[in-house]
mmCIF file with all atom_site columns, all heavy atoms in Angstrom:
data_model
loop_
_atom_site.group_PDB
_atom_site.id
_atom_site.type_symbol
_atom_site.label_atom_id
_atom_site.label_alt_id
_atom_site.label_comp_id
_atom_site.label_asym_id
_atom_site.label_entity_id
_atom_site.label_seq_id
_atom_site.pdbx_PDB_ins_code
_atom_site.Cartn_x
_atom_site.Cartn_y
_atom_site.Cartn_z
_atom_site.occupancy
_atom_site.B_iso_or_equiv
_atom_site.pdbx_formal_charge
_atom_site.auth_seq_id
_atom_site.auth_comp_id
_atom_site.auth_asym_id
_atom_site.auth_atom_id
_atom_site.pdbx_PDB_model_num
ATOM 1  N N   . GLN I 1 75 ? 22.248 121.981 -248.232 1.00 93.00 ? 1528 GLN I N   1
ATOM 2  C CA  . GLN I 1 75 ? 21.906 122.662 -246.987 1.00 93.00 ? 1528 GLN I CA  1
ATOM 3  C C   . GLN I 1 75 ? 20.613 122.126 -246.384 1.00 93.00 ? 1528 GLN I C   1
ATOM 4  O O   . GLN I 1 75 ? 20.517 121.916 -245.171 1.00 93.00 ? 1528 GLN I O   1
ATOM 5  C CB  . GLN I 1 75 ? 21.795 124.169 -247.248 1.00 93.00 ? 1528 GLN I CB  1
ATOM 6  C CG  . GLN I 1 75 ? 23.121 124.856 -247.542 1.00 93.00 ? 1528 GLN I CG  1
ATOM 7  C CD  . GLN I 1 75 ? 22.947 126.319 -247.897 1.00 93.00 ? 1528 GLN I CD  1
ATOM 8  O OE1 . GLN I 1 75 ? 21.833 126.861 -247.902 1.00 93.00 ? 1528 GLN I OE1 1
ATOM 9  N NE2 . GLN I 1 75 ? 24.059 126.990 -248.210 1.00 93.00 ? 1528 GLN I NE2 1
ATOM 10 N N   . SER I 1 76 ? 19.629 121.876 -247.241 1.00 93.00 ? 1529 SER I N   1
ATOM 11 C CA  . SER I 1 76 ? 18.357 121.331 -246.743 1.00 93.00 ? 1529 SER I CA  1
ATOM 12 C C   . SER I 1 76 ? 18.546 119.926 -246.180 1.00 93.00 ? 1529 SER I C   1
ATOM 13 O O   . SER I 1 76 ? 18.013 119.601 -245.110 1.00 93.00 ? 1529 SER I O   1
ATOM 14 C CB  . SER I 1 76 ? 17.318 121.309 -247.871 1.00 93.00 ? 1529 SER I CB  1
ATOM 15 O OG  . SER I 1 76 ? 16.985 122.618 -248.280 1.00 93.00 ? 1529 SER I OG  1
ATOM 16 N N   . LEU I 1 77 ? 19.306 119.098 -246.893 1.00 94.00 ? 1530 LEU I N   1
ATOM 17 C CA  . LEU I 1 77 ? 19.551 117.735 -246.408 1.00 94.00 ? 1530 LEU I CA  1
ATOM 18 C C   . LEU I 1 77 ? 20.329 117.744 -245.101 1.00 94.00 ? 1530 LEU I C   1
ATOM 19 O O   . LEU I 1 77 ? 20.072 116.933 -244.199 1.00 94.00 ? 1530 LEU I O   1
ATOM 20 C CB  . LEU I 1 77 ? 20.309 116.931 -247.467 1.00 94.00 ? 1530 LEU I CB  1
ATOM 21 C CG  . LEU I 1 77 ? 19.483 116.472 -248.669 1.00 94.00 ? 1530 LEU I CG  1
ATOM 22 C CD1 . LEU I 1 77 ? 20.387 115.920 -249.762 1.00 94.00 ? 1530 LEU I CD1 1
ATOM 23 C CD2 . LEU I 1 77 ? 18.460 115.417 -248.256 1.00 94.00 ? 1530 LEU I CD2 1
ATOM 24 N N   . ASN I 1 78 ? 21.286 118.659 -244.992 1.00 93.00 ? 1531 ASN I N   1
ATOM 25 C CA  . ASN I 1 78 ? 22.055 118.753 -243.759 1.00 93.00 ? 1531 ASN I CA  1
ATOM 26 C C   . ASN I 1 78 ? 21.153 119.134 -242.588 1.00 93.00 ? 1531 ASN I C   1
ATOM 27 O O   . ASN I 1 78 ? 21.285 118.600 -241.473 1.00 93.00 ? 1531 ASN I O   1
ATOM 28 C CB  . ASN I 1 78 ? 23.170 119.785 -243.917 1.00 93.00 ? 1531 ASN I CB  1
ATOM 29 C CG  . ASN I 1 78 ? 24.143 119.787 -242.764 1.00 93.00 ? 1531 ASN I CG  1
ATOM 30 O OD1 . ASN I 1 78 ? 24.632 118.737 -242.343 1.00 93.00 ? 1531 ASN I OD1 1
ATOM 31 N ND2 . ASN I 1 78 ? 24.421 120.963 -242.226 1.00 93.00 ? 1531 ASN I ND2 1
ATOM 32 N N   . GLU I 1 79 ? 20.210 120.046 -242.836 1.00 91.00 ? 1532 GLU I N   1
ATOM 33 C CA  . GLU I 1 79 ? 19.278 120.442 -241.785 1.00 91.00 ? 1532 GLU I CA  1
ATOM 34 C C   . GLU I 1 79 ? 18.327 119.295 -241.437 1.00 91.00 ? 1532 GLU I C   1
ATOM 35 O O   . GLU I 1 79 ? 18.043 119.037 -240.271 1.00 91.00 ? 1532 GLU I O   1
ATOM 36 C CB  . GLU I 1 79 ? 18.490 121.669 -242.223 1.00 91.00 ? 1532 GLU I CB  1
ATOM 37 C CG  . GLU I 1 79 ? 17.598 122.234 -241.122 1.00 91.00 ? 1532 GLU I CG  1
ATOM 38 C CD  . GLU I 1 79 ? 16.921 123.526 -241.520 1.00 91.00 ? 1532 GLU I CD  1
ATOM 39 O OE1 . GLU I 1 79 ? 17.328 124.115 -242.541 1.00 91.00 ? 1532 GLU I OE1 1
ATOM 40 O OE2 . GLU I 1 79 ? 15.979 123.939 -240.822 1.00 91.00 ? 1532 GLU I OE2 1
ATOM 41 N N   . MET I 1 80 ? 17.831 118.594 -242.452 1.00 90.00 ? 1533 MET I N   1
ATOM 42 C CA  . MET I 1 80 ? 16.925 117.475 -242.216 1.00 90.00 ? 1533 MET I CA  1
ATOM 43 C C   . MET I 1 80 ? 17.573 116.378 -241.386 1.00 90.00 ? 1533 MET I C   1
ATOM 44 O O   . MET I 1 80 ? 16.992 115.862 -240.435 1.00 90.00 ? 1533 MET I O   1
ATOM 45 C CB  . MET I 1 80 ? 16.464 116.879 -243.544 1.00 90.00 ? 1533 MET I CB  1
ATOM 46 C CG  . MET I 1 80 ? 15.544 117.755 -244.376 1.00 90.00 ? 1533 MET I CG  1
ATOM 47 S SD  . MET I 1 80 ? 15.179 116.929 -245.944 1.00 90.00 ? 1533 MET I SD  1
ATOM 48 C CE  . MET I 1 80 ? 14.288 118.218 -246.814 1.00 90.00 ? 1533 MET I CE  1
ATOM 49 N N   . THR I 1 81 ? 18.791 116.015 -241.762 1.00 93.00 ? 1534 THR I N   1
ATOM 50 C CA  . THR I 1 81 ? 19.457 114.887 -241.094 1.00 93.00 ? 1534 THR I CA  1
ATOM 51 C C   . THR I 1 81 ? 20.142 115.290 -239.803 1.00 93.00 ? 1534 THR I C   1
ATOM 52 O O   . THR I 1 81 ? 20.562 114.435 -239.028 1.00 93.00 ? 1534 THR I O   1
ATOM 53 C CB  . THR I 1 81 ? 20.491 114.242 -242.037 1.00 93.00 ? 1534 THR I CB  1
ATOM 54 O OG1 . THR I 1 81 ? 21.446 115.229 -242.456 1.00 93.00 ? 1534 THR I OG1 1
ATOM 55 C CG2 . THR I 1 81 ? 19.808 113.641 -243.258 1.00 93.00 ? 1534 THR I CG2 1
ATOM 56 N N   . GLY I 1 82 ? 20.269 116.609 -239.566 1.00 91.00 ? 1535 GLY I N   1
ATOM 57 C CA  . GLY I 1 82 ? 20.844 117.050 -238.301 1.00 91.00 ? 1535 GLY I CA  1
ATOM 58 C C   . GLY I 1 82 ? 19.980 116.689 -237.113 1.00 91.00 ? 1535 GLY I C   1
ATOM 59 O O   . GLY I 1 82 ? 20.470 116.614 -235.984 1.00 91.00 ? 1535 GLY I O   1
ATOM 60 N N   . ASP I 1 83 ? 18.709 116.453 -237.355 1.00 90.00 ? 1536 ASP I N   1
ATOM 61 C CA  . ASP I 1 83 ? 17.782 116.016 -236.312 1.00 90.00 ? 1536 ASP I CA  1
ATOM 62 C C   . ASP I 1 83 ? 17.217 114.668 -236.732 1.00 90.00 ? 1536 ASP I C   1
ATOM 63 O O   . ASP I 1 83 ? 16.283 114.598 -237.538 1.00 90.00 ? 1536 ASP I O   1
ATOM 64 C CB  . ASP I 1 83 ? 16.648 117.031 -236.154 1.00 90.00 ? 1536 ASP I CB  1
ATOM 65 C CG  . ASP I 1 83 ? 15.637 116.629 -235.081 1.00 90.00 ? 1536 ASP I CG  1
ATOM 66 O OD1 . ASP I 1 83 ? 15.765 115.521 -234.534 1.00 90.00 ? 1536 ASP I OD1 1
ATOM 67 O OD2 . ASP I 1 83 ? 14.727 117.423 -234.803 1.00 90.00 ? 1536 ASP I OD2 1
ATOM 68 N N   . PRO I 1 84 ? 17.784 113.550 -236.242 1.00 91.00 ? 1537 PRO I N   1
ATOM 69 C CA  . PRO I 1 84 ? 17.323 112.227 -236.692 1.00 91.00 ? 1537 PRO I CA  1
ATOM 70 C C   . PRO I 1 84 ? 15.853 111.963 -236.422 1.00 91.00 ? 1537 PRO I C   1
ATOM 71 O O   . PRO I 1 84 ? 15.201 111.232 -237.158 1.00 91.00 ? 1537 PRO I O   1
ATOM 72 C CB  . PRO I 1 84 ? 18.229 111.251 -235.934 1.00 91.00 ? 1537 PRO I CB  1
ATOM 73 C CG  . PRO I 1 84 ? 18.807 112.035 -234.812 1.00 91.00 ? 1537 PRO I CG  1
ATOM 74 C CD  . PRO I 1 84 ? 18.873 113.446 -235.272 1.00 91.00 ? 1537 PRO I CD  1
ATOM 75 N N   . THR I 1 85 ? 15.315 112.561 -235.360 1.00 87.00 ? 1538 THR I N   1
ATOM 76 C CA  . THR I 1 85 ? 13.882 112.408 -235.089 1.00 87.00 ? 1538 THR I CA  1
ATOM 77 C C   . THR I 1 85 ? 13.066 112.971 -236.237 1.00 87.00 ? 1538 THR I C   1
ATOM 78 O O   . THR I 1 85 ? 12.102 112.364 -236.706 1.00 87.00 ? 1538 THR I O   1
ATOM 79 C CB  . THR I 1 85 ? 13.509 113.110 -233.777 1.00 87.00 ? 1538 THR I CB  1
ATOM 80 O OG1 . THR I 1 85 ? 14.295 112.580 -232.718 1.00 87.00 ? 1538 THR I OG1 1
ATOM 81 C CG2 . THR I 1 85 ? 12.038 112.906 -233.463 1.00 87.00 ? 1538 THR I CG2 1
ATOM 82 N N   . LEU I 1 86 ? 13.482 114.134 -236.721 1.00 86.00 ? 1539 LEU I N   1
ATOM 83 C CA  . LEU I 1 86 ? 12.833 114.745 -237.871 1.00 86.00 ? 1539 LEU I CA  1
ATOM 84 C C   . LEU I 1 86 ? 13.043 113.900 -239.118 1.00 86.00 ? 1539 LEU I C   1
ATOM 85 O O   . LEU I 1 86 ? 12.113 113.654 -239.891 1.00 86.00 ? 1539 LEU I O   1
ATOM 86 C CB  . LEU I 1 86 ? 13.372 116.159 -238.077 1.00 86.00 ? 1539 LEU I CB  1
ATOM 87 C CG  . LEU I 1 86 ? 12.882 116.919 -239.318 1.00 86.00 ? 1539 LEU I CG  1
ATOM 88 C CD1 . LEU I 1 86 ? 11.394 117.178 -239.222 1.00 86.00 ? 1539 LEU I CD1 1
ATOM 89 C CD2 . LEU I 1 86 ? 13.654 118.227 -239.472 1.00 86.00 ? 1539 LEU I CD2 1
ATOM 90 N N   . ALA I 1 87 ? 14.273 113.441 -239.325 1.00 89.00 ? 1540 ALA I N   1
ATOM 91 C CA  . ALA I 1 87 ? 14.598 112.691 -240.536 1.00 89.00 ? 1540 ALA I CA  1
ATOM 92 C C   . ALA I 1 87 ? 13.738 111.443 -240.680 1.00 89.00 ? 1540 ALA I C   1
ATOM 93 O O   . ALA I 1 87 ? 13.241 111.130 -241.769 1.00 89.00 ? 1540 ALA I O   1
ATOM 94 C CB  . ALA I 1 87 ? 16.077 112.319 -240.527 1.00 89.00 ? 1540 ALA I CB  1
#
Side-chain angles (χ1 to χ4, degrees):
Q1528 290 176 2
S1529 294
L1530 285 169
N1531 189 49
E1532 186 174 347
M1533 291 177 187
T1534 57
D1536 180 355
T1538 303
L1539 175 65

